[in-house]
Amino acid sequence: MSNEGKTPLVEMRDISIAFGGIKAVDHVTVDLYPGEVVGLLGHNGAGKTTLIKCLSGAYHKDAGEIHVNGERAEINNPRDARDYNIETIYQTLALSDNLDAASNLFLGRELMRNGLVDDAKMEAETRKIMGRLNPNFKKFNDPVSALSGGQRQSVAIARAVYFDAKILIMDEPTAALGPHETQMVADLIQELKAQGIGIFLIDHDIHNVMQLCDRANVMKNGKLVGTVNVNEVTDDDILGMIILGKKPEHLAA
Amino acid sequence: MSDIKDNSAASSDMEPTLTKRSLLDTLEIDVRLLGMLAAFLAIVVIFTIWTGGVFIRPRNIFNITVQTVPVAIMACGMVFVIVMRHIDLSVGSLLATCSAVMAMMQAYWLPSLFGLEYGNPFILILTILIGLTVGTTMGAATGWLVGYQLIPSFIVTLGGLFIWRNVNWFATNGQSVSLRDPNLLMFGGTEGVLGATASYSVGIAASIAAVYVIFASRKNKLSHGFVVKPMWAEGALTAIIVGTIMLFVHWLSLYEIPKGKLRRMFEARGEVVPEGYTAVHGLPISVLILILVAVVMTVVASKTRFGRYIFATGGNPDSADLSGINTRWLTVKVFALMGFLCALAALIAQARLQSHGNDIGMLEELRVIAAAVIGGTALAGGVGTIYGAVLGALIMQSLQSGMAMVGVDTPFQNIVVGLVLITAVWVDIIYRKRMGITK
Ligand SMILES: Nc1ncnc2c1ncn2[C@@H]1O[C@H](COP(=O)(O)OP(=O)(O)O)[C@@H](O)[C@H]1O
Ligand SMILES: [Mg+2]
């Protein structure tokens, strides 16, 4: 697939952010086109989560620019990101354990009726989307603390998918899932991609990345090692980039 | 639609083997509420027997409810504070400062500044408005220090406990101030009652509202195809609620105003009591205010965005932030609300005592926190109910009044209250462990 001539959905240019002395993200540039799945790879602590948190509004970048649909975007908090139709599935899931699935799904965007939150409507909508994403899901009236890891994950995924995301960030979305559920997430990614949604996918499993992604960015120690087209490289090439922190000779050209 | 079918299938599967837990689940009865009600009833029964029936008399019930009001009102606000994973140790001192400001307003500042006479309605209105504003502002200041400056609420409000207690002292020069404005006394209890007709009207209106809310919610659930309680259960629950409301109103309406007091009331108007004339207390205005506060706070907690965000933040502050909730501003609002309720409690407490004393609200912060905790509010945050806190306050006050009536010394009363606090939390922990509830 060629992106030439198209406007990128998202461009993160020269992003830097430091915590104390640690340069968590150090002059990183990545982009994402409509209908594209772009992987972010790297060891723990490479800066992947920190980078996407600058896009989702959770962190405030120290330097760099973010462009959405070719226009400069000011993203200072999670609400700004939502306004740009950027939805995020966080590695930590970011669920309020004491609330039920529907309250979590609609948190910050409650459905209202006569000025009051309409729990029945929200539960009905949650049942609908869960019926599509995870038909086995039954615990609609329990706090999410009572759910299994996979069920919690599906609540987090449902929350990102429900609100018509244009840009979807998935930070290790299959970390808590078994093989069957992982396959369901893979199918979902294909489906969303077909709808023209752009997806940043952070995943430790190189197989998943090779299967689902069009391009992959590799990070190490906060720096971007390189960006490759997935169909032009092998698993070993990418592993080499992750471990050694440099592009293989035959791609470096 | 298939999920709805599944759901009803699942519940009918369970029906033959209805365990205790699943029966309570279908009826959507809160076990903790049931436990607290049982504890409360036990206290009432025990002291009624022990006092030979005096405890349950309308006069005593009237007094207990009136004495419960200030702590219960503040406990409603404390639920939100604790749910947000904070604490407010300054509420007793805040109450004192609000009380001092209001007392000075009605006795000296307003009359001399505007040349108003005692009894002028402007004194009443201005005193209340200023008192509530002061309380809200002090609460907001606490919230700003906690929410924006990230100073732990324990520290800010521990400091507040010292500061406001002594600001109160300076405002009145350490003197007691009696309530000169007669209108202000109506918040106190016996001086401000609705009488029989108005009390029954309020009771009937409240009953109608309760029935409407229950069935509107049922209809809304049905319209989305959800399983609802069986009709008999809904009916029984409604009957219990309406019955309780009307019994309470009826009981307080049996409490007659003493003859001597009636005579004085008529004399004040230059009249004489007609032959055979009697009057009853009925609902005190202060209790009505508490009921209003509790209802509004319950709606806020469960049906508004503000309440939803308080609970979401208490459950996981990060998730609330990432969902775009402005948790700092939320903190300011929660403490401001707490301050507002402290001022309201101050208005009622000083009216009941008919004066502002230096030690008003002393140690009240501990009772307020205890009421919230006995009522099931978890200090870890995220969990708590308004009705629980009100019941908690009522349980503590009933215990204390009952013990006082049977001649238990004050120090021992306090020991019992302390034991009850610990036991309530202990029982809750054991229950949760047995039921496998993690949070
Ligand atoms: N809020 C924070 N405060 C301090 N250091 C942080 C914070 N968030 C991330 N870091 C640091 O930034 C680096 C990158 O972390 P992260 O983005 O989570 O890596 P990854 O997601 O690739 O595993 C790590 O060294 C981490 O300790
Ligand atoms: Mg990470």
Side-chain angles (χ1 to χ4, degrees):
Chain A
M1 183 170 91
S2 164
N3 291 318
E4 240 156 89
K6 284 196 254 173
T7 313
L9 205 49
V10 181
E11 276 181 284
M12 300 182 75
R13 290 187 197 157
D14 222 17
I15 305 287
S16 297
I17 179 170
F19 298 104
I22 302 169
K23 288 181 175 170
V25 173
D26 195 3
H27 296 286
V28 171
T29 299
V30 296
D31 57 11
L32 174 69
Y33 288 82
E36 190 186 34
V37 182
V38 170
L40 277 174
L41 291 137
H43 283 311
N44 271 333
K48 309 180 295 288
T49 297
T50 306
L51 176 67
I52 60 95
K53 277 191 171 176
C54 294
L55 181 59
S56 74
Y59 286 160
H60 207 95
K61 59 188 171 0
D62 294 337
E65 285 179 13
I66 295 175
H67 292 242
V68 175
N69 288 322
E71 281 176 31
R72 178 139 187 198
E74 281 303 327
I75 297 176
N76 294 316
N77 57 49
R79 257 163 300 150
D80 292 344
R82 285 180 167 188
D83 289 343
Y84 284 106
N85 294 316
I86 299 170
E87 295 290 336
T88 311
I89 298 161
Y90 290 99
Q91 192 172 5
T92 54
L93 302 187
L95 299 174
S96 285
D97 277 338
N98 54 336
L99 303 182
D100 61 17
S103 302
N104 270 292
L105 205 153
F106 287 94
L107 192 56
R109 292 181 281 206
E110 289 73 15
L111 302 178
M112 307 298 279
R113 184 163 173 262
N114 304 327
L116 300 176
V117 294
D118 189 351
D119 285 308
K121 181 85 190 288
M122 291 194 285
E123 186 184 329
E125 290 296 301
T126 306
R127 283 175 185 272
K128 266 190 227 156
I129 184 148
M130 281 309 201
R132 199 158 69 80
L133 291 181
N134 184 356
N136 296 324
F137 191 96
K138 287 280 141 51
K139 292 188 170 175
F140 289 97
N141 294 312
D142 289 316
V144 296
S145 61
L147 307 183
S148 70
Q151 290 169 331
R152 291 162 61 82
Q153 193 94 43
S154 50
V155 174
I157 293 174
R159 170 163 66 184
V161 176
Y162 180 84
F163 293 95
D164 293 329
K166 299 262 180 345
I167 299 153
L168 189 59
I169 301 167
M170 305 174 107
D171 195 350
E172 310 207 11
T174 59
L177 303 184
H180 177 67
E181 290 161 310
T182 302
Q183 187 52 46
M184 279 176 35
V185 173
D187 294 343
L188 176 68
I189 290 175
Q190 298 290 6
E191 185 188 325
L192 296 171
K193 175 181 157 80
Q195 292 169 15
I197 295 171
I199 300 174
F200 274 125
L201 176 65
I202 300 177
D203 203 322
H204 269 299
D205 187 332
I206 295 198
H207 274 295
N208 278 345
V209 173
M210 296 299 278
Q211 212 173 43
L212 294 170
C213 295
D214 303 296
R215 289 183 296 143
N217 301 291
V218 176
M219 291 180 70
K220 188 177 167 79
N221 298 334
K223 291 199 171 66
L224 184 69
V225 175
T227 306
V228 293
N229 289 325
V230 166
N231 56 16
E232 292 168 7
V233 293
T234 64
D235 293 19
D236 287 341
D237 291 334
I238 291 187
L239 261 177
M241 288 170 75
I242 293 172
I243 296 166
L244 301 173
K246 53 185 184 201
K247 268 193 168 182
E249 303 274 311
H250 67 101
L251 293 169
Chain B
M1 280 291 116
S2 71
D3 42 354
I4 291 161
K5 243 185 284 146
D6 290 352
N7 199 313
S8 55
S11 61
S12 61
D13 276 353
M14 284 182 345
E15 234 144 292
T17 54
L18 264 187
T19 59
K20 270 199 188 119
R21 176 130 168 83
S22 68
L23 176 66
L24 291 172
D25 270 353
T26 23
L27 300 188
E28 291 168 43
I29 290 175
D30 180 348
V31 183
R32 181 186 265 136
L33 172 63
L34 222 52
M36 277 190 293
L37 283 175
F40 176 60
L41 282 181
I43 291 169
V44 172
V45 169
I46 289 170
F47 281 114
T48 301
I49 294 170
W50 201 343
T51 57
V54 178
F55 185 86
I56 197 77
R57 280 193 195 149
R59 180 187 142 89
N60 193 48
I61 299 296
F62 184 96
N63 285 337
I64 288 179
T65 50
V66 166
Q67 286 165 357
T68 305
V69 171
V71 166
I73 286 181
M74 290 191 284
C76 291
M78 190 63 80
V79 170
F80 284 6
V81 171
I82 297 179
V83 165
M84 282 274 284
R85 302 189 180 189
H86 294 304
I87 194 79
D88 194 337
L89 299 173
S90 67
V91 294
S93 300
L94 231 114
L95 180 148
T97 296
C98 293
S99 173
V101 169
M102 285 190 281
M104 294 304 284
M105 278 291 162
Q106 55 85 36
Y108 306 113
W109 298 340
L110 289 175
S112 67
L113 200 62
F114 298 110
L116 297 172
E117 303 233 332
Y118 295 134
N120 187 319
F122 279 112
I123 293 193
L124 177 76
I125 294 168
L126 283 176
T127 300
I128 295 175
L129 282 183
I130 290 169
L132 295 176
T133 309
V134 168
T136 310
T137 311
M138 294 191 303
T142 305
W144 180 77
L145 289 171
V146 175
Y148 284 88
Q149 302 309 311
L150 307 180
I151 309 171
S153 58
F154 187 93
I155 305 300
V156 175
T157 61
L158 184 60
L161 187 153
F162 289 110
I163 294 167
W164 301 124
R165 174 60 55 195
N166 294 289
V167 167
N168 149 56
W169 195 91
F170 275 109
T172 61
N173 268 322
Q175 308 282 308
S176 290
V177 183
S178 59
L179 293 202
R180 305 269 179 83
D181 185 85
N183 290 327
L184 277 168
L185 294 178
M186 74 172 152
F187 299 104
T190 48
E191 301 305 317
V193 290
L194 295 187
T197 316
S199 296
Y200 281 114
S201 311
V202 168
I204 290 168
S207 300
I208 292 173
V211 172
Y212 173 79
V213 167
I214 290 171
F215 284 90
S217 144
R218 185 186 174 87
K219 203 174 126 208
N220 191 21
K221 279 188 188 164
L222 280 173
S223 77
H224 292 289
F226 296 163
V227 188
V228 292
K229 265 177 261 186
M231 197 58 195
W232 64 264
E234 201 93 76
L237 205 66
T238 312
I240 291 173
I241 290 170
V242 170
T244 310
I245 293 173
M246 293 315 292
L247 180 65
F248 179 62
V249 168
H250 176 65
W251 210 246
L252 294 185
S253 299
L254 290 177
Y255 179 24
E256 289 197 4
I257 298 179
K259 290 265 181 305
K261 189 169 171 194
L262 271 182
R263 189 156 21 85
R264 281 196 302 279
M265 283 164 65
F266 276 80
E267 273 167 10
R269 281 182 270 153
E271 298 167 24
V272 285
V273 187
E275 196 60 36
Y277 180 88
T278 58
V280 299
H281 285 88
L283 273 180
I285 291 175
S286 59
V287 172
L288 200 60
I289 293 176
L290 168 62
I291 293 171
L292 271 180
V293 166
V295 168
V296 169
M297 291 288 280
T298 301
V299 171
V300 168
S302 54
K303 286 279 154 198
T304 66
R305 286 205 163 119
F306 176 53
R308 185 62 45 93
Y309 296 168
I310 290 171
F311 280 83
T313 307
N316 184 348
D318 292 335
S319 101
D321 268 330
L322 294 173
S323 300
I325 296 168
N326 188 342
T327 52
R328 298 176 163 205
W329 179 229
L330 192 67
T331 308
V332 174
K333 287 197 279 189
V334 166
F335 277 98
L337 178 57
M338 182 76 248
F340 174 88
L341 293 173
C342 288
L344 197 57
L347 181 70
I348 291 166
Q350 66 170 211
R352 193 170 72 77
L353 303 169
Q354 309 210 343
S355 80
H356 164 83
N358 228 341
D359 60 351
I360 194 170
M362 189 81 95
L363 294 183
E364 212 95 297
E365 52 281 339
L366 303 182
R367 292 177 179 283
V368 170
I369 294 167
V373 170
I374 289 176
T377 306
L379 284 177
V383 180
T385 57
I386 300 298
Y387 61 72
V390 173
L391 250 177
L394 197 56
I395 286 174
M396 287 201 318
Q397 188 59 50
S398 313
L399 252 181
Q400 257 192 318
S401 302
M403 285 190 290
M405 289 175 83
V406 298
V408 176
D409 293 336
T410 315
F412 196 70
Q413 291 174 22
N414 288 329
I415 290 176
V416 172
V417 169
L419 289 174
V420 166
L421 172 65
I422 295 171
T423 312
V425 176
W426 191 6
V427 168
D428 192 51
I429 288 173
I430 293 171
Y431 167 76
R432 291 176 158 261
K433 216 184 275 171
R434 292 261 166 87
M435 286 299 176
I437 302 168
T438 46
K439 171 120 195 186

